[in-house]
């Protein structure tokens, strides 16, 4: 198994290189880069100031200036200013130089500084990552705690009244978008129109540092409750049905019939024989489920509940064309996804030692 893990870790390097390369050149080709953003910001600022000083004359002057360079000059931006902005962001260098420089820095996890936030990208990621990990981890755990017992019960009670009405509830919950359910939770329980039970924003309270250890834990879960519930509501349907179908498939196999013929009780057969085989794909898929929720499930929830997570950071950076932050968040997401894929294979081997990845 160790040789297989080493091979997979070595494959992470070219895979990450491909991810970085594709993202770098795609984003560079997108219009409205950071230089354009800064120029637009400067033009808008100077134009508004000019309007206040000169009134209507400023508007007439802007209408008469058709050339872009003259327009920039009319609001205080010269060609030297434009070149200074490019140099400030490093866009005075050729594209291939910037690409090679980024690869060199990323080898040492040096993500540079944000173009617009005045802080290093590493600091921003370290600050935001715990929020996204908390959402992904607790949501995944809650999904498993609900789905596995429910799926087993549905398999035992297959085609019964319990199975039918729980399937209806599961499918209805799966049809509700997480963000819509989050808004409903806010209206009902976060000071909307009904009860003000849970906080609306943030991961912890403002006085978190003054609380005792027990109060800190309670405060943390008090803030996490609504976001996690909102993300969970649409996430357990597929896992519930997967658990049910996996157990149904195992229950009808010959070794189960033989075990029952020997006089073993249903619980002994179910949890002593069926459980290990049926749970193989479910337990081994935990890392993949976590990374899926971590990647896609938290962005809108972070926005709705004002949680400063990594997904929100990447989204804001994309809108603002903050290239270092965009590349760094994509790099972290890609790296975590690859490592979780390896962990998923390791869990397969732990759950079922018969699986031998060394032969692959």
């Amino acid at each position: 198994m160790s040789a297989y893990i080493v091979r997979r870790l070595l494959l992470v390097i070219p895979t990450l290189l491909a991810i970085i390369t594709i993202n770098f050149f795609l984003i560079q080709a997108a219009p409205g880069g950071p230089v354009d953003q800064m120029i637009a910001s400067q033009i808008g600022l100077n134009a508004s100031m000019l309007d206040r000083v000169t009134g209507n004359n400023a508007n007439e002057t802007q209408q008469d200036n058709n050339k872009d360079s003259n327009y920039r000059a009319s609001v205080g931006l010269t060609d030297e200013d434009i070149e200074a902005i490019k140099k400030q962001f490093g866009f005075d260098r050729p594209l291939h130089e910037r690409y090679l420089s980024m690869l060199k820095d990323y080898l040492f996890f040096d993500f540079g500084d944000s173009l617009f936030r005045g802080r290093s990208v590493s600091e921003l990621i370290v600050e935001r990552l715990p929020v996204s990990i908390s959402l992904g981890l607790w949501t995944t755990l809650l999904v498993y705690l609900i789905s596995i017992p429910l799926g087993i019960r549905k398999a035992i009670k297959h085609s019964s009244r319990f199975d039918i009405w729980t399937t209806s509830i599961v499918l209805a919950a799966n049809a509700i978008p997480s963000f819509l359910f989050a808004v409903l939770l806010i209206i009902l329980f976060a000071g909307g129109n009904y009860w003000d039970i849970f906080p609306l924003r943030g991961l912890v309270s403002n006085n978190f540092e003054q609380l005792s250890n027990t109060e800190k834990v309670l405060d943390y879960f008090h803030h996490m409750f609504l976001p996690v519930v909102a993300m969970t509501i649409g996430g357990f349907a597929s896992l519930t049905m997967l658990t049910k179908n996996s157990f149904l498939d195992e229950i009808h196999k010959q070794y189960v019939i033989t075990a029952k013929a020997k006089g073993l009780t249903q619980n002994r057969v179910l949890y002593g024989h069926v459980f290990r085989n049926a749970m193989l794909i479910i337990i081994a898929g935990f890392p993949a489920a976590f990374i899926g929720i971590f990647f896609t499930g938290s962005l809108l929830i972070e926005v709705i509940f004002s949680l400063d997570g990594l997904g929100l950071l990447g989204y804001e950076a994309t809108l603002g064309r903050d290239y270092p932050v965009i590349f760094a968040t994509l790099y972290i997401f890609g790296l975590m996804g690859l490592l979780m894929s390896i962990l998923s294979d390791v869990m397969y081997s732990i759950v079922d030692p018969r699986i031998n990845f060394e032969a692959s």
Side-chain angles (χ1 to χ4, degrees), residues 34-35 38 84-92 98 115-116:
V35 174
M38 180 60 72
I85 292 175
K86 291 182 178 180
K87 186 175 182 180
Q88 174 187 350
F89 292 149
F91 283 84
D92 56 328
R98 286 185 276 129
L115 299 180
F116 303 110

Side-chain angles (χ1 to χ4, degrees), residues 140 144 239 242 279-292 340 343-345 347-348 351:
T140 307
Y144 269 71
L239 185 60
L242 177 63
M279 291 298 295
L280 173 61
I281 189 173
I282 299 168
I283 296 177
F286 180 87
F290 167 73
I291 206 66
M340 284 295 179
L343 180 59
S344 181
D345 289 344
M347 292 190 68
Y348 268 112
V351 174

Side-chain angles (χ1 to χ4, degrees), residues 52-124:
R52 290 196 296 268
V53 174
T54 62
N56 293 332
N57 291 334
N59 294 329
E60 295 175 359
T61 302
Q62 291 178 18
Q63 293 174 1
D64 293 337
N65 291 328
N66 295 323
K67 293 184 179 180
D68 185 55
S69 60
N70 291 335
Y71 177 72
R72 292 173 181 172
S74 70
V75 293
L77 284 179
T78 64
D79 291 337
E80 289 76 13
D81 294 330
I82 305 301
E83 291 301 321
I85 292 175
K86 291 182 178 180
K87 186 175 182 180
Q88 174 187 350
F89 292 149
F91 283 84
D92 56 328
R93 297 183 297 164
L95 183 64
H96 70 277
E97 288 187 11
R98 286 185 276 129
Y99 169 69
L100 294 176
S101 176
M102 186 187 72
L103 289 183
K104 179 182 176 182
D105 293 337
Y106 274 36
L107 287 176
F108 303 98
F109 289 89
D110 180 8
F111 303 123
D113 297 326
S114 170
L115 299 180
F116 303 110
R117 297 173 182 266
R119 299 175 59 188
S120 71
V121 177
S122 297
E123 290 179 359
L124 291 172

